[in-house]
Structure formats: structure tokens, C-alpha cells
Amino acid sequence: MTQLARFQAALAASEADGAILSSDLNRRYLSGFDYTDGYLLVTPTEALLLADFRYIEAARAQVTGFDVILPTATMTEEIKIQITNRRLRRLLIEEAELSYAEFGRLSAALSDVSLCAGASDLLNKQRMVKTPEELEKIAKAQVLTDAAFAHILPLLSPRMTEREVALELEFFMRRNGADGVAFDTIAVSGAASALPHGVPSDTPLRQGFLTMDFGAKLDGYCSDMTRTVVIGKADEEMKRVYNTVLAAQAAALDGLREGLGCREADALARRIIREAGFGACFGHSLGHGVGLYIHEAPNLSPRAAESAVLTKGNVVTVEPGIYLEGQYGCRIEDMVAIDYDGCLLNFTHSPKELMEI
Ligand code: ZN
Ligand code: ZN
């Protein structure tokens, strides 16, 4: 079943006549076509892709399953014509993506249509369950990310700055085929490693922990990995912190399976960190979904809904961390899937025993 067919089945089961999709990533998800400034109009039985003259030739050549339409007037006027022709009355919009300005434009043009929230929610739920083809794309993005880590290790030295580490990782991934980076690369050392989302600076790598959180984007799909190494030597407390994070991650990886609650998944790791006395130093959730978006559902979090459980096709990160304010921090992150054979598939192959450089 194509992504479009899955979405059309969800629409057929809803109260709506169809959906207007405006975000680049959801349009790409359903059509397989990567472009900006357009709409998809999808009903349970029809699918239209509106693209302007910059994209129309490529769209006509590449897109299947959609009628590709070049607007004769503006994009908004064209979608109005298509909606009016079909007498569609109730349409879902992407409540999490559509800007207020664009919503205003659409509402003004479609005054006799009821535009309702709901498309984001339907697509968030659909994107959470990756197809085997999507799992393969994510695996390839992680292969590049692992290769970048292997590339950076022998280059690391106290003469290198955090920014140089980040750039080298990014350059390697781009040179080896990445579309780009999945998110802004993090490379933070010394006291800055205590900031889970610190920004790489121009200062040379400081002694102590160096946390690198990065990922390639390939064929639109993201990867996400964190490795923490030590510049210089680790003292006993640093070793204890690192090994606690490693044990917490191992406990979560051991326990993750189909049917496990997202809250329980988080608790598997959190318990180990709490029992080691660092409960207050793990301020973020254990992991998040990854796909076309770097952060998507499901979330492995103490605040996850009771009903949220892992299912086949979910891709999540497992990234416990301990952050000691003003001193240092450490995080280890792998990206895994609940595979279709029911087993846990770990995409991440980079080593994670404590490394002193
Ligand atoms: Zn990450
Ligand atoms: Zn992450």
C-alpha cells in the first residue's frame, strides 16, 4: 500500500471530504516529490498535486498516483477551483504546519468550505509507522553518520575547535552523498558538554567530555546519533557518569519491543540513572521518533500518553544523558526500529565504550 493509499483510507474513515496539504515534508511524504510552494488536494478517491512552473516538468515526469496540475492563476485560486468543481465541503488542514497567514488566505478564498484541524494528526500517526523501504533509507542515512564518526576520531585533538569538529563531520557526510545534515551538528566540550543542546564555539577542544550529536539526511530521511568521548583522561567520577549513561542505554535497548509503553521505555533508562544518584541530571526524555522530520512521534518520555505503545515500524532514538551543571555532561544516542520480524533493529554501529583521546 502506498503512503497515499494509506492516507486516503484514513480520510475515508474520517468525517472530512478530503485534505489540503501545504507543508514541504508532508507533501513529499505522500507524493515522493520534493518541492516548495504548492498544495496536495487529497480525497478518499482522488489526489491532485499543484506545482508552479519551476517544478511542473519534473513533477509530470516523476510523480505517480497524483494528477499534476499547473495553476492557471494563483495557487490559492487554483485550489479553490478544484475544490469547487468537486463540491468538497469539509477539508482537513495541517494544523501543526499551516501558518496563520496562509490559513487566512485559504479561509478567505474558501469561504463556503469548512477548514478543520486534523491532517497533521492523521499524518503524524501514519508517519510513525515506517514501511520497510523507509527503514532502509534511514539505515543508509545512519551508515553515513557512522562513517563520519569513524572519520573524525583520528582527527580529534586539543588543537581542533568545536566548530571545526562540527564542520568536518558535516563536510564528510555531504562529500559522501548526504543531502545535508539532519539538524544543526552539536560538538561541545568541557563545561559546555553540560548543555544538552550547546552550540559549537571557536574555542579549542577542552579537556574532559566532548559530546558530538549529529546526523546525515539522505533521500529526505534523517539519522541521529550522539557519541561522547574524553579529550585527555577521565577521572573516576567521569567514568562513573559515562558508565551509568551506557548502562541506562543498554537497559532501554534490552527492553524495547513491540507493545512496550513509551512511558515504560523511558523508565527503563531513567531508573538506572536515578539509582546511581543522578536522577535530577537527566532532564530530557529518553528518545523521539525520526523520519523525514528529525523529531516526530512517538516520544519515549515520562509524559507520553498512557496509551502510547511501540509498534512495528516505529523508529526511535535511545539517548539517555547525565548533565552536571557547570562541570560536564555526557549523552549516548542510538537510533533503532521495531522491525517487522518483531525484533529490535539497531541502525547505529559506532563503538560506545569510553574512549580517551
Ligand atoms: Zn541527537
Ligand atoms: Zn535525538
Side-chain angles (χ1 to χ4, degrees):
M1 209 183 206
T2 62
Q3 309 293 23
L4 174 61
R6 284 166 79 190
F7 185 60
Q8 284 179 314
L11 280 178
S14 78
E15 312 267 273
D17 300 327
I20 300 172
L21 304 178
S22 48
S23 72
D24 290 356
L25 288 181
N26 277 331
R27 279 190 282 105
R28 179 173 188 170
Y29 176 67
L30 287 187
S31 69
F33 188 60
D34 181 21
Y35 74 115
T36 59
D37 305 321
Y39 291 117
L40 301 184
L41 177 62
V42 182
T43 74
T45 54
E46 275 191 292
L48 311 182
L49 183 147
L50 279 61
D52 66 34
F53 69 96
R54 292 171 297 168
Y55 298 106
I56 199 71
E57 196 182 326
R60 284 182 176 140
Q62 292 170 29
V63 174
T64 54
F66 286 78
D67 287 329
V68 174
I69 291 169
L70 174 68
T72 47
T74 66
M75 204 58 84
T76 310
E77 283 161 17
E78 185 64 37
I79 199 151
K80 179 182 179 178
I81 293 166
Q82 300 296 342
I83 288 167
T84 311
N85 285 348
R86 288 168 178 78
R87 299 199 170 81
L88 304 174
R89 290 277 168 254
R90 187 181 163 89
L91 291 169
L92 302 181
I93 48 140
E94 286 177 87
E95 68 277 14
E97 302 271 359
L98 190 69
S99 74
Y100 188 65
E102 200 174 351
F103 178 70
R105 268 199 303 280
L106 281 174
S107 312
L110 303 168
S111 50
D112 49 357
V113 175
S114 127
L115 298 176
C116 318
S120 294
D121 189 48
L122 284 183
L123 283 166
N124 287 347
K125 286 183 182 137
Q126 183 176 329
R127 286 202 324 273
M128 209 159 82
V129 181
K130 271 76 179 174
T131 61
E133 295 73 37
E134 288 181 290
L135 295 182
E136 250 167 63
K137 288 180 183 181
I138 292 169
K140 283 185 183 152
Q142 181 55 36
V143 165
L144 258 183
T145 306
D146 279 327
F149 183 64
H151 168 77
I152 201 75
L153 278 179
L155 302 179
L156 294 175
S157 88
R159 285 181 302 282
M160 218 173 171
T161 68
E162 293 172 354
R163 190 197 291 267
E164 284 166 349
V165 173
L167 282 174
E168 189 60 38
L169 287 167
E170 294 180 4
F171 189 73
F172 179 90
M173 294 188 289
R174 287 299 300 271
R175 194 176 49 205
N176 287 281
D179 310 341
V181 291
F183 55 94
D184 288 345
T185 299
I186 296 171
V188 285
S189 66
S193 64
L195 311 168
H197 274 191
V199 178
S201 76
D202 284 320
T203 51
L205 296 182
R206 282 163 285 222
Q207 298 289 306
F209 283 132
L210 163 65
T211 298
M212 293 167 282
D213 185 352
F214 60 103
K217 190 186 278 186
L218 189 63
D219 211 356
Y221 283 82
C222 298
S223 63
D224 188 2
M225 170 172 87
T226 306
R227 285 294 180 265
T228 301
V229 300
V230 178
I231 303 295
K233 291 278 171 220
D235 63 24
E236 286 313 305
E237 185 64 3
M238 286 170 75
K239 284 181 188 166
R240 197 167 84 82
V241 165
Y242 188 92
N243 289 325
T244 301
V245 172
L246 191 59
Q249 198 207 34
L253 291 173
D254 268 358
L256 248 62
R257 56 181 160 72
E258 187 183 4
L260 181 73
C262 292
R263 224 187 260 190
E264 281 71 47
D266 177 276
L268 290 174
R270 200 166 297 278
R271 187 175 308 128
I272 305 253
I273 290 177
R274 193 176 50 236
E275 283 169 3
F278 296 112
C281 311
F282 176 25
H284 56 75
S285 49
L286 178 66
H288 54 87
V290 182
L292 286 172
Y293 291 77
I294 181 60
H295 291 131
E296 54 179 46
N299 282 312
L300 308 182
S301 160
R303 293 169 300 282
E306 190 94 59
S307 58
V309 297
L310 290 167
T311 63
K312 283 181 181 142
N314 287 165
V315 172
V316 289
T317 63
V318 179
E319 49 178 309
I322 293 175
Y323 311 93
L324 302 169
E325 200 182 331
Q327 295 182 64
Y328 50 71
C330 155
R331 176 168 67 257
I332 305 171
E333 174 180 28
D334 285 4
M335 188 176 60
V336 303
I338 309 295
D339 208 351
Y340 280 85
D341 60 6
C343 296
L344 191 78
L345 166 67
N346 194 335
F347 295 107
T348 313
H349 299 291
S350 292
K352 48 188 159 182
E353 70 280 3
L354 183 67
M355 271 183 264
E356 297 174 318
I357 288 161

